[in-house]
Amino acid sequence: MSAKPRILLVEDESGIADTLQYVLASDGFTPVWCATGQEALASFAGEPPALVILDVGLPDINGFALFKQLQSLPGGERVPMLFLTARSDEIDRVVGLELGADDYIAKPFSPRELVARVRTILRRSARPAPTASAGPGTAAPAATAGTLSHGPFVVDDERRRIRYYGQALELSRYEYGLLRLLVRRPGRVFTRDELLDQVWDDASASLDRTVDAHVKTLRAKLKAVAPGVEAIRTLRGTGYALEEELPTQPS
Ligand code: CA
């Protein structure tokens, strides 16, 4: 008897909210509906949900701003979030993905499709619980277990963290997945399709543009650490690769 995952639904249109609550509940979820950003923040702070469905157009706060506020709450970084927007607007899509949202659905949408996306996101975000507070007598894993490195990059899978020239990068889920894949195979050219396949579990729901948007934000974060180093190479019309030779010092 596993608990039903709680899905926080932030949507001011009651018609849409009713439909989604019905579909989510009949699919084995516990929907929690909030019509405003303030309610959503209070609900999230009380108990973080398994996933958030977030309307971009809310009466009291822009959905993107709310996304950032939710992410800054305790546990917020770990909760997947999916945007709903009234317009099939490319700008909204790119902004949402650049912020690090897990997915994006344009209205009007099929409630069934939305629930399928929710399932996919929850499946891929399900990871073994960290073992940091294992009981007495349990040996702690070696600090170097699950790390891999290339030049200035050190990937720590247990903490899901990547260091670059000694600095820990603040990465979204997909930025982490992309960079980890590139660091594992320096020099290997990955096409956008390969990156979609390997980093996004539900590649059919994503677009080539999705990869580009995430590489762009990733590069900006690398530049902030080492402005003179171009770690990710673009192969026009093909894809991306990590430079094999990287300077030992940032520049
Ligand atoms: Ca709305």
Side-chain angles (χ1 to χ4, degrees):
M1 46 160 256
S2 60
K4 294 180 178 181
R6 290 169 68 250
I7 308 291
L8 181 59
L9 171 63
V10 193
E11 167 62 75
D12 59 313
E13 287 172 62
S14 59
I16 293 175
D18 285 349
T19 307
L20 282 181
Q21 287 187 93
Y22 175 78
V23 178
L24 286 166
S26 58
D27 239 74
F29 297 101
T30 301
V32 178
W33 176 36
C34 296
T36 66
Q38 283 310 313
E39 281 176 53
L41 285 164
S43 168
F44 194 110
E47 186 184 352
L51 180 142
V52 182
I53 299 172
L54 197 49
D55 182 27
V56 173
L58 292 168
D60 58 337
I61 183 172
N62 174 284
F64 297 133
L66 178 61
F67 173 87
K68 288 186 180 171
Q69 290 189 25
L70 289 172
Q71 275 211 319
S72 69
L73 292 175
E77 283 272 313
R78 288 194 301 276
V79 176
M81 303 197 199
L82 179 157
F83 280 117
L84 291 180
T85 156
R87 294 156 291 161
S88 50
D89 187 335
E90 189 75 4
I91 301 292
D92 277 357
R93 180 196 300 269
V94 172
V95 169
L97 293 173
E98 285 188 352
L99 283 174
D102 289 86
D103 210 339
Y104 161 99
I105 293 195
K107 297 175 186 175
F109 54 86
S110 137
R112 287 278 147 214
E113 189 202 345
L114 183 132
V115 171
R117 299 258 195 116
V118 165
R119 284 209 174 283
T120 302
I121 294 170
L122 288 177
R123 201 168 54 237
R124 76 185 167 210
S125 63
R127 294 181 206 291
T131 53
S133 57
T138 311
T144 51
T147 63
L148 73 104
S149 60
H150 168 67
F153 290 99
V154 179
V155 179
D156 179 346
D157 277 331
E158 292 191 341
R159 290 169 186 77
R160 295 188 61 75
R161 188 185 296 157
I162 300 180
R163 288 186 172 275
Y164 183 51
Y165 289 110
Q167 286 197 39
L169 299 168
E170 294 269 337
L171 301 175
S172 72
R173 187 186 319 260
Y174 293 141
E175 288 166 352
Y176 176 86
L178 278 173
L179 187 54
R180 183 182 186 285
L181 189 62
L182 294 172
V183 170
R184 280 181 74 179
R185 304 283 298 279
R188 158 80 150 83
V189 177
F190 289 92
T191 66
R192 290 179 178 79
D193 281 347
E194 285 175 321
L195 293 171
L196 278 174
D197 270 357
Q198 297 189 39
V199 180
W200 281 259
D201 289 351
D202 187 15
S204 62
S206 301
L207 303 167
D208 288 2
R209 284 286 305 270
T210 308
V211 174
D212 295 339
H214 282 83
V215 169
K216 190 176 159 204
T217 56
L218 188 51
R219 276 189 168 136
K221 291 176 183 182
L222 298 178
K223 286 268 176 199
V225 175
V229 178
E230 197 69 67
I232 300 174
R233 195 151 41 97
T234 303
L235 289 105
R236 279 182 68 88
T238 312
Y240 299 98
L242 193 78
E243 287 293 350
E244 286 175 90
E245 303 290 331
L246 287 165
T248 52
Q249 296 292 323
S251 57

